[in-house]
Amino acid sequence: METVETVFRMESPRVIAAVARVVRDVGIAEELAQDALVAALEQWPRDGVPDNPGAWLTTTARHRAVDLVRRRENYARKLAEIGRDLSETPAPPEPADPEDIDDDLLRLVFTACHPVLSAEARCALTLRLLGGLTTAEIARAYLVPEPTVAQRIVRAKRTLATRNVAFEVPYGPDREARLGSVLDVIYLIFNEGYAATAGDDWLRPGLCEDALRLARQLAGLMPKESEVHGLAALLEFQASRTSARTGPDGAPVLLKDQQRARWNRLLIARGVTALTHASATADGALGPYALQAAIAACHAHAPSYEETDWARIATLYGMLAARAPSPVVELNRAVAVSMAQGPEAALEIVDALGAVPALRDYHLLPSVRGDLLLRLGRTAEAKAEFERAASLTHNTRERELLLGRAAAL
């Protein structure tokens, strides 16, 4: 059971994308993927996990499409479109347009980011379909109630179906109109892989790899878009630290404790190149993703945590807050301020954020506050903050880390 669920969580985005390419409806595609999961739960424990579980799930989902379409009256329109022999019908040929995106996952991102959906619905739906996140995990990532996310996803799929939104890649102005949302969801998918909101593992490398690949493809497809290069640079820099972010037992390793010799220099070099492109193509000031990439570059070039140019990072976070204000950005700025100016100055920022409703249950707020209090010698208060942070996180590894810090005090 656990093996099947793990495989499905990793493979479901590709299954949904492959089936959506055929049925041209992401809602139906997700249902077919779920049907394939049920079949796997029935067969794999008895017959064993197939050599290529992703291909097995995709094939099963395609076969299930025939039965499902024929059985349900409300799928009659789709039946007329895709024919009565779906399982034996090859995928339609791809157009030869040089700007065409020959990737089902990226095509699914652009489809889910259609302008008929609200910005919030686009991100929630894409995280559900491509990130494989549950409704609860998406709610925690957005710092909003779970029922709100559930409604967004349901309405988004219904809207795509009723508006007959095609499973395709837009061109020209339509593509540019969706680009911001596409960048946002690729970034959120990467973040879920970089620091999972829930589960037993701190990292989900598959999500990071998918997001990084999509960002690289976009950069090649849209070479004149500064923010596309900015996102690619940011993900390259972040991904370069992956091997140093966990210990031999899978436990998280904080940035200040990471062995920088284990950082991937090739990915850092790719990040530098992408950031250079972002700067060269920027129309005026750098955008939010390019600014975050510049912050990541400061870490990548620093010989050690203490030797990092924290003053520059604090300045860059100030610029980022002006371009894309967010309580999370302000919390990150507080960390940089604590290193550049001392923990007292940062504590004022963090205490002010305590009144922000969106951060009420955000575990990193008490975690940062605990670290500042510890540096100020207020040990008992720091211990309480680490314990509170541990109670708020839903990731087992992160909870263990925070409880360990509390216990050490």
Side-chain angles (χ1 to χ4, degrees):
M1 174 80 74
E2 184 176 347
T3 300
V4 177
E5 292 177 353
T6 299
V7 170
F8 184 76
R9 190 178 181 97
M10 293 187 298
E11 298 292 341
S12 62
R14 293 181 179 83
V15 177
I16 294 171
V19 176
R21 182 177 183 179
V22 177
V23 300
R24 305 289 175 177
D25 187 305
V26 295
I28 295 175
E30 187 178 21
E31 290 188 19
L32 296 175
Q34 292 292 336
D35 283 350
L37 170 62
V38 172
L41 289 171
E42 293 173 348
Q43 297 182 35
W44 292 5
R46 181 186 68 240
D47 303 334
V49 178
D51 293 336
N52 191 334
W56 189 99
L57 289 168
T58 300
T59 301
T60 300
R62 286 172 59 91
H63 289 170
R64 293 275 170 148
V66 177
D67 296 333
L68 191 60
V69 169
R70 289 175 176 169
R71 187 170 64 249
R72 294 187 175 182
E73 291 183 359
N74 62 337
Y75 283 179
R77 177 178 58 80
K78 289 298 175 185
L79 179 59
E81 293 177 2
I82 65 176
R84 295 181 175 275
D85 196 12
L86 178 62
S87 63
E88 298 178 3
T89 302
E94 294 300 307
D97 192 297
E99 287 192 346
D100 182 59
I101 302 177
D102 188 18
D103 185 279
D104 286 339
L105 289 177
L106 199 54
R107 189 178 286 109
L108 179 58
V109 173
F110 271 98
T111 301
C113 290
H114 196 281
V116 298
L117 304 178
S118 68
E120 295 81 6
R122 297 173 203 170
C123 290
L125 180 61
T126 311
L127 286 174
R128 172 71 174 171
L129 297 178
L130 272 95
L133 274 65
T134 65
T135 303
E137 290 170 342
I138 298 172
R140 286 192 290 273
Y142 271 97
L143 307 177
V144 296
E146 186 175 342
T148 301
V149 172
Q151 291 176 0
R152 289 175 184 172
I153 294 173
V154 171
R155 291 172 182 169
K157 290 190 288 188
R158 184 186 302 130
T159 298
L160 291 177
T162 57
R163 296 289 189 91
N164 294 322
V165 173
F167 184 69
E168 62 184 8
V169 175
Y171 296 90
D174 289 339
R175 180 181 295 179
E176 294 176 3
R178 300 191 209 179
L179 182 58
S181 293
V182 170
L183 296 180
D184 289 345
V185 296
I186 291 176
Y187 182 51
L188 288 171
I189 291 170
F190 181 89
N191 277 346
E192 178 58 27
Y194 195 67
T197 56
D200 296 331
D201 296 321
W202 174 239
L203 302 176
R204 294 177 61 188
L207 288 182
C208 290
E209 292 169 3
D210 280 342
L212 186 55
R213 179 173 53 81
L214 295 177
R216 288 171 178 169
Q217 287 186 326
L218 267 186
L221 184 72
M222 310 179 77
K224 297 182 180 180
E225 292 289 341
S226 174
E227 276 293 79
V228 173
H229 292 296
L231 176 63
L234 174 61
L235 301 195
E236 299 282 8
F237 284 129
Q238 299 290 73
S240 71
R241 309 176 199 162
T242 299
S243 63
R245 295 188 69 244
T246 55
D249 59 350
V253 178
L254 298 177
L255 178 62
K256 64 180 180 180
D257 299 322
Q258 290 175 17
Q259 297 179 22
R260 301 195 171 208
R262 298 185 61 192
W263 288 5
N264 189 313
R265 309 314 299 184
L266 174 60
L267 293 182
I268 290 175
R270 293 182 65 108
V272 171
T273 300
L275 183 55
T276 300
H277 288 319
S279 300
T281 55
D283 184 12
L286 293 177
Y289 286 117
L291 284 171
Q292 292 180 74
I295 293 170
C298 290
H299 291 294
H301 294 312
S304 68
Y305 186 78
E306 292 74 18
E307 295 175 89
T308 304
D309 190 347
W310 290 106
R312 173 168 171 73
I313 291 178
T315 299
L316 288 170
Y317 269 122
M319 297 168 61
L320 179 61
R323 287 294 304 270
S326 157
V328 175
V329 170
E330 193 67 4
L331 182 62
N332 288 331
R333 186 176 75 86
V335 175
V337 168
S338 75
M339 297 300 296
Q341 303 176 24
E344 289 186 2
L347 189 59
E348 294 182 10
I349 301 174
V350 172
D351 286 344
L353 291 173
V356 177
L359 296 184
R360 184 176 296 114
D361 296 323
Y362 188 50
H363 70 284
L364 290 182
L365 179 62
S367 175
V368 170
R369 191 170 189 274
D371 189 65
L372 296 176
L373 291 170
L374 179 60
R375 290 169 58 189
L376 289 170
R378 296 160 61 175
T379 308
E381 294 173 82
K383 182 176 185 295
E385 290 294 321
F386 288 139
E387 290 174 343
R388 179 169 180 269
S391 71
L392 294 175
T393 183
H394 295 268
N395 184 280
T396 302
R397 292 293 191 175
E398 195 167 26
R399 184 183 303 112
E400 292 172 351
L401 172 67
L402 291 165
L403 289 176
R405 297 195 70 185
L409 300 179

